[in-house]
Amino acid sequence: MKHSKLMLLVIGAAIIFFGCEKMESVPPEPDLADQENISLKATKVKTAFTGTSIPVINPIDPGTTKILPNGKTHVMGVVAEWYDQASDPRVTGTSIWYENFIWDGQAFASPAKAWGKAEIFVGGNAEENDGRWEITWHGYFTLSEVPGHFTIDVDAVGTGKEGEVKGLTAKWKYIFDSQVGFFYSTEGYIK
Protein backbone atom coordinates (compact mmCIF):
# COMPACT_ATOMS: atom_id res chain seq x y z
CA MET A 1 0.00 0.00 0.00
CA LYS A 2 2.82 2.41 0.83
CA HIS A 3 4.36 1.53 -2.46
CA SER A 4 1.10 2.38 -4.34
CA LYS A 5 0.80 5.76 -2.62
CA LEU A 6 4.41 6.56 -3.46
CA MET A 7 3.81 5.55 -7.08
CA LEU A 8 0.68 7.78 -7.31
CA LEU A 9 2.62 10.69 -5.80
CA VAL A 10 5.45 10.26 -8.36
CA ILE A 11 2.97 10.02 -11.27
CA GLY A 12 1.07 13.12 -10.01
CA ALA A 13 4.34 15.10 -9.72
CA ALA A 14 5.38 14.00 -13.22
CA ILE A 15 2.03 15.10 -14.67
CA ILE A 16 2.29 18.50 -13.00
CA PHE A 17 5.95 18.97 -13.95
CA PHE A 18 5.72 17.80 -17.58
CA GLY A 19 2.13 18.96 -18.16
CA CYS A 20 2.94 22.64 -17.79
CA GLU A 21 3.77 24.35 -21.04
CA LYS A 22 7.03 26.12 -21.52
CA MET A 23 6.78 29.82 -20.70
CA GLU A 24 7.97 32.07 -23.54
CA SER A 25 9.38 35.47 -22.79
CA VAL A 26 6.85 38.24 -23.39
CA PRO A 27 7.86 40.77 -26.08
CA PRO A 28 8.33 44.32 -24.79
CA GLU A 29 5.34 46.64 -24.90
CA PRO A 30 5.28 49.03 -27.89
CA ASP A 31 6.30 52.58 -27.03
CA LEU A 32 3.70 55.35 -26.84
CA ALA A 33 4.07 56.39 -30.50
CA ASP A 34 3.55 52.80 -31.67
CA GLN A 35 0.52 52.44 -29.39
CA GLU A 36 -1.05 55.57 -30.90
CA ASN A 37 -0.46 54.33 -34.47
CA ILE A 38 -1.74 50.84 -33.64
CA SER A 39 -4.76 52.33 -31.89
CA LEU A 40 -5.58 54.73 -34.75
CA LYS A 41 -5.25 52.00 -37.37
CA ALA A 42 -7.32 49.53 -35.34
CA THR A 43 -10.19 51.93 -34.66
CA LYS A 44 -9.98 53.85 -37.96
CA VAL A 45 -10.36 57.22 -36.28
CA LYS A 46 -11.31 59.94 -38.77
CA THR A 47 -8.76 62.78 -38.47
CA ALA A 48 -9.34 66.04 -40.38
CA PHE A 49 -6.54 68.11 -41.91
CA THR A 50 -6.03 71.34 -43.88
CA GLY A 51 -3.08 72.60 -45.86
CA THR A 52 -1.62 73.83 -49.14
CA SER A 53 -0.02 72.29 -52.21
CA ILE A 54 2.67 74.43 -53.86
CA PRO A 55 4.43 73.70 -57.18
CA VAL A 56 8.08 72.63 -57.04
CA ILE A 57 8.78 71.71 -60.68
CA ASN A 58 5.85 72.28 -62.99
CA PRO A 59 5.80 70.28 -65.18
CA ILE A 60 8.46 67.58 -65.10
CA ASP A 61 6.92 66.29 -68.34
CA PRO A 62 4.45 68.41 -70.37
CA GLY A 63 2.81 65.29 -71.84
CA THR A 64 1.32 65.16 -75.32
CA THR A 65 -1.34 67.45 -76.76
CA LYS A 66 -3.78 66.47 -79.49
CA ILE A 67 -6.53 68.58 -81.05
CA LEU A 68 -9.58 66.36 -81.49
CA PRO A 69 -11.91 66.52 -84.54
CA ASN A 70 -14.65 68.06 -82.36
CA GLY A 71 -12.36 71.01 -81.50
CA LYS A 72 -11.53 69.84 -77.98
CA THR A 73 -7.93 69.60 -76.79
CA HIS A 74 -6.75 66.33 -75.24
CA VAL A 75 -3.63 66.55 -73.05
CA MET A 76 -2.25 63.25 -71.70
CA GLY A 77 0.70 62.29 -69.52
CA VAL A 78 1.59 65.56 -67.80
CA VAL A 79 3.85 64.94 -64.78
CA ALA A 80 4.28 67.66 -62.15
CA GLU A 81 5.96 67.89 -58.73
CA TRP A 82 4.28 69.73 -55.85
CA TYR A 83 4.85 70.00 -52.11
CA ASP A 84 1.88 69.26 -49.84
CA GLN A 85 2.11 70.96 -46.43
CA ALA A 86 -0.69 69.94 -44.07
CA SER A 87 -1.76 70.22 -40.45
CA ASP A 88 -1.28 66.42 -40.23
CA PRO A 89 2.29 65.26 -40.99
CA ARG A 90 0.94 62.00 -42.45
CA VAL A 91 -0.20 63.92 -45.58
CA THR A 92 2.80 66.27 -45.76
CA GLY A 93 5.58 65.73 -48.31
CA THR A 94 6.56 65.84 -51.95
CA SER A 95 3.76 64.88 -54.31
CA ILE A 96 4.07 63.72 -57.91
CA TRP A 97 0.96 64.26 -60.08
CA TYR A 98 0.17 62.36 -63.29
CA GLU A 99 -2.38 64.51 -65.12
CA ASN A 100 -4.75 64.24 -68.09
CA PHE A 101 -7.14 66.88 -69.45
CA ILE A 102 -9.96 67.25 -71.96
CA TRP A 103 -10.35 70.97 -72.70
CA ASP A 104 -13.58 72.17 -74.34
CA GLY A 105 -11.43 74.26 -76.70
CA GLN A 106 -7.96 75.71 -76.32
CA ALA A 107 -5.94 74.60 -73.25
CA PHE A 108 -6.19 77.05 -70.32
CA ALA A 109 -8.63 79.20 -72.33
CA SER A 110 -11.70 76.94 -71.94
CA PRO A 111 -13.28 74.73 -69.29
CA ALA A 112 -11.80 71.25 -68.82
CA LYS A 113 -12.19 67.93 -67.09
CA ALA A 114 -9.04 66.61 -65.42
CA TRP A 115 -8.10 63.25 -63.92
CA GLY A 116 -5.15 61.10 -63.01
CA LYS A 117 -3.08 59.61 -60.24
CA ALA A 118 -0.66 60.98 -57.68
CA GLU A 119 1.74 59.90 -54.98
CA ILE A 120 2.59 61.71 -51.76
CA PHE A 121 5.89 60.79 -50.13
CA VAL A 122 5.32 61.42 -46.42
CA GLY A 123 7.88 63.69 -44.80
CA GLY A 124 10.27 63.61 -47.73
CA ASN A 125 10.62 62.65 -51.38
CA ALA A 126 10.58 59.50 -53.52
CA GLU A 127 14.00 58.37 -52.25
CA GLU A 128 13.72 59.22 -48.54
CA ASN A 129 10.34 59.26 -46.80
CA ASP A 130 8.31 57.88 -43.92
CA GLY A 131 5.55 56.43 -46.10
CA ARG A 132 3.76 56.67 -49.43
CA TRP A 133 0.19 57.38 -50.52
CA GLU A 134 -1.24 56.27 -53.88
CA ILE A 135 -4.01 58.62 -54.98
CA THR A 136 -6.60 58.73 -57.75
CA TRP A 137 -8.24 62.04 -58.51
CA HIS A 138 -10.59 63.92 -60.83
CA GLY A 139 -11.52 67.57 -61.15
CA TYR A 140 -12.69 70.52 -63.19
CA PHE A 141 -10.95 73.60 -64.60
CA THR A 142 -13.35 76.56 -64.73
CA LEU A 143 -12.77 80.04 -66.13
CA SER A 144 -13.43 82.85 -63.68
CA GLU A 145 -15.70 85.81 -64.39
CA VAL A 146 -12.54 87.91 -63.99
CA PRO A 147 -10.67 87.76 -67.33
CA GLY A 148 -7.46 85.74 -67.18
CA HIS A 149 -8.36 83.95 -63.95
CA PHE A 150 -9.55 80.41 -63.29
CA THR A 151 -10.32 77.85 -60.58
CA ILE A 152 -9.52 74.15 -60.38
CA ASP A 153 -11.60 71.94 -58.11
CA VAL A 154 -10.21 68.44 -57.43
CA ASP A 155 -11.46 65.48 -55.37
CA ALA A 156 -8.91 62.80 -54.47
CA VAL A 157 -8.93 59.46 -52.67
CA GLY A 158 -5.78 57.75 -51.44
CA THR A 159 -4.54 54.57 -49.86
CA GLY A 160 -1.44 54.37 -47.68
CA LYS A 161 0.87 51.86 -49.36
CA GLU A 162 4.09 52.07 -47.33
CA GLY A 163 5.53 53.19 -44.01
CA GLU A 164 3.55 54.92 -41.31
CA VAL A 165 0.48 55.38 -43.52
CA LYS A 166 0.26 51.77 -44.77
CA GLY A 167 -3.32 50.55 -44.52
CA LEU A 168 -4.86 53.99 -43.96
CA THR A 169 -7.21 55.76 -46.38
CA ALA A 170 -7.65 59.47 -46.97
CA LYS A 171 -9.79 61.90 -48.94
CA TRP A 172 -8.68 65.31 -50.17
CA LYS A 173 -10.38 68.37 -51.63
CA TYR A 174 -7.93 70.57 -53.59
CA ILE A 175 -9.04 74.04 -54.65
CA PHE A 176 -6.89 76.30 -56.84
CA ASP A 177 -8.02 79.91 -57.28
CA SER A 178 -5.69 81.97 -59.49
CA GLN A 179 -6.98 85.19 -57.90
CA VAL A 180 -5.69 84.03 -54.51
CA GLY A 181 -2.29 82.68 -55.62
CA PHE A 182 -0.49 79.91 -57.46
CA PHE A 183 -1.22 77.06 -55.02
CA TYR A 184 -3.98 74.69 -53.98
CA SER A 185 -5.76 74.98 -50.64
CA THR A 186 -6.42 71.51 -49.29
CA GLU A 187 -8.66 69.90 -46.74
CA GLY A 188 -9.63 66.35 -46.03
CA TYR A 189 -9.43 63.50 -43.58
CA ILE A 190 -7.46 60.37 -42.85
CA LYS A 191 -9.18 57.21 -41.71
Side-chain angles (χ1 to χ4, degrees):
M1 179 100 162
K2 280 186 172 183
H3 191 359
S4 298
K5 287 182 182 177
L6 181 61
M7 206 50 165
L8 282 174
L9 184 61
V10 170
I11 291 173
I15 290 172
I16 291 172
F17 182 74
F18 292 110
C20 294
E21 66 181 71
K22 183 178 175 184
M23 296 296 289
E24 297 290 329
S25 63
V26 177
E29 290 291 319
D31 66 18
L32 185 57
D34 290 338
Q35 289 176 2
E36 288 174 1
N37 261 352
I38 290 166
S39 175
L40 285 174
K41 286 181 181 179
T43 59
K44 295 287 187 177
V45 173
K46 190 174 182 179
T47 306
F49 63 84
T50 60
T52 58
S53 186
I54 299 169
V56 176
I57 300 172
N58 204 14
I60 294 172
D61 182 343
T64 57
T65 301
K66 182 178 181 182
I67 306 300
L68 302 176
N70 62 3
K72 294 186 178 192
T73 303
H74 190 198
V75 179
M76 295 289 290
V78 176
V79 181
E81 181 178 339
W82 294 69
Y83 187 79
D84 286 43
Q85 178 70 46
S87 57
D88 191 317
R90 295 175 295 170
V91 288
T92 296
T94 299
S95 58
I96 305 295
W97 292 79
Y98 306 92
E99 307 167 358
N100 306 292
F101 303 88
I102 294 281
W103 301 89
D104 287 351
Q106 184 179 0
F108 292 99
S110 63
K113 293 179 184 175
W115 70 96
K117 295 183 178 189
E119 296 176 287
I120 295 179
F121 300 98
V122 179
N125 56 42
E127 291 80 33
E128 294 183 26
N129 58 69
D130 297 323
R132 181 177 63 88
W133 291 96
E134 284 184 0
I135 300 168
T136 58
W137 63 272
H138 69 278
Y140 299 93
F141 178 96
T142 308
L143 296 172
S144 172
E145 293 179 7
V146 177
H149 290 285
F150 59 90
T151 59
I152 306 171
D153 189 355
V154 172
D155 291 308
V157 177
T159 303
K161 292 296 186 179
E162 297 174 6
E164 67 181 50
V165 297
K166 185 174 182 176
L168 296 175
T169 58
K171 289 191 177 184
W172 288 261
K173 177 70 145 182
Y174 285 84
I175 298 178
F176 186 104
D177 185 341
S178 68
Q179 293 182 75
V180 175
F182 200 77
F183 63 92
Y184 284 91
S185 296
T186 62
E187 62 179 42
Y189 64 85
I190 301 169
K191 190 171 176 184

